[in-house]
Amino acid sequence: SSSSSSFLRLAAPSSGRSTVEILRVAKDSLNSRFLPIQNLQSQAVFMVDDDVRVDCRSLYRGFEAWKANPQSMVGYYPRLAAATNDRQHYVYQAWPIVWWRQSMNFVLTKASFFHSRYLALYSNPAVHPSEILDYVDQRMNCEDVAMALIVANQTTDPMIYVEGSVSDKGLFNGISTRTSGAEHMDARSKCLDDLTQIYQKRGWGRPLDRAVSLRRASWIQHATTWQFRPSNIFEWGALENIFK
């Protein structure tokens, strides 16, 4: 689409008063959310979908986690790109399998903190091929996977899961979830395969093959594995791929 889109930039000047700046972009694209921001005064970027709400305590907790892991990505929605036995394909797994296997390798950008340098890398064809941008535009999906691949390819630090309290009004009618649950999960698995193949063609390997334990990747630690919980109770409902 050639219509413009708007994004918000928040700033907290020395007076303590917060200001809001609306950023208008020329193209209505999921890629536009990762465009570099001119005159950004912080290294930290909090990326959030317009239908997601993170409570203040969880937001503060996420920022503290990012400050301790500034080269990684910190988020409230952990995911597992699970390699098949022949290591030729991925299966996109959400919270039920992340919890059951106690393993994850990326977080969704729908509510996340990351370093501002990743915005520049997302638009850099030497680091992020333009065919990935085209892929995202054609499918109106997978920009979050594309960003996760960039981060995983730039650092060996694991992405961090922050257990919090997050509401998500886009679970059932968001841009990428308008298809049935099974179709959505299949599309996400294909996205992982297709974008990884683009990386492999350039000799960059498979950045998301590095899964880590949920305990190691979690900012909040628990005594037992059953105490780990999702940031949104509806995360338990993503059962479509549990037998794959």
Side-chain angles (χ1 to χ4, degrees), residues 64-220:
E64 290 297 304
W66 178 83
K67 286 194 295 183
N69 301 272
Q71 300 308 315
S72 189
M73 185 155 61
V74 172
Y76 305 87
Y77 290 89
R79 293 294 184 262
L80 176 66
T84 55
N85 289 336
D86 61 6
R87 304 190 69 80
Q88 296 300 308
H89 300 283
Y90 284 120
V91 178
Y92 177 83
Q93 297 289 6
W95 175 259
I97 292 298
V98 167
W99 181 83
W100 180 253
R101 296 186 186 177
Q102 290 291 300
S103 181
M104 59 168 282
N105 46 20
F106 71 106
V107 296
L108 301 185
T109 60
K110 66 192 301 178
S112 64
F113 287 91
F114 53 80
H115 198 286
S116 59
R117 75 185 185 96
Y118 290 120
L119 297 178
L121 293 179
Y122 193 93
S123 300
N124 183 347
V127 176
H128 195 227
S130 59
E131 59 188 294
I132 293 182
L133 303 182
D134 294 339
Y135 185 100
V136 169
D137 281 340
Q138 290 165 8
R139 290 159 180 79
M140 294 187 67
N141 198 344
C142 302
E143 83 289 350
D144 51 356
V145 173
M147 178 58 85
L149 281 165
I150 289 176
V151 175
N153 204 36
Q154 293 293 314
T155 177
T156 57
D157 294 344
M159 297 187 209
I160 305 299
Y161 167 52
V162 176
E163 191 177 291
S165 179
V166 181
S167 62
D168 187 351
K169 296 182 179 179
L171 282 175
F172 306 107
N173 61 357
I175 291 175
S176 64
T177 58
R178 289 172 182 165
T179 55
S180 70
E183 290 176 340
H184 171 67
M185 298 293 271
D186 286 345
R188 300 289 280 176
S189 295
K190 180 170 173 52
C191 169
L192 285 165
D193 280 347
D194 292 345
L195 299 193
T196 299
Q197 286 173 10
I198 294 173
Y199 268 60
Q200 287 181 296
K201 284 191 295 186
R202 285 159 175 74
W204 297 344
R206 296 163 59 90
L208 292 180
D209 271 0
R210 298 189 302 269
V212 298
S213 71
L214 182 60
R215 181 180 298 280
R216 179 187 173 197
S218 291
W219 181 247
I220 296 178

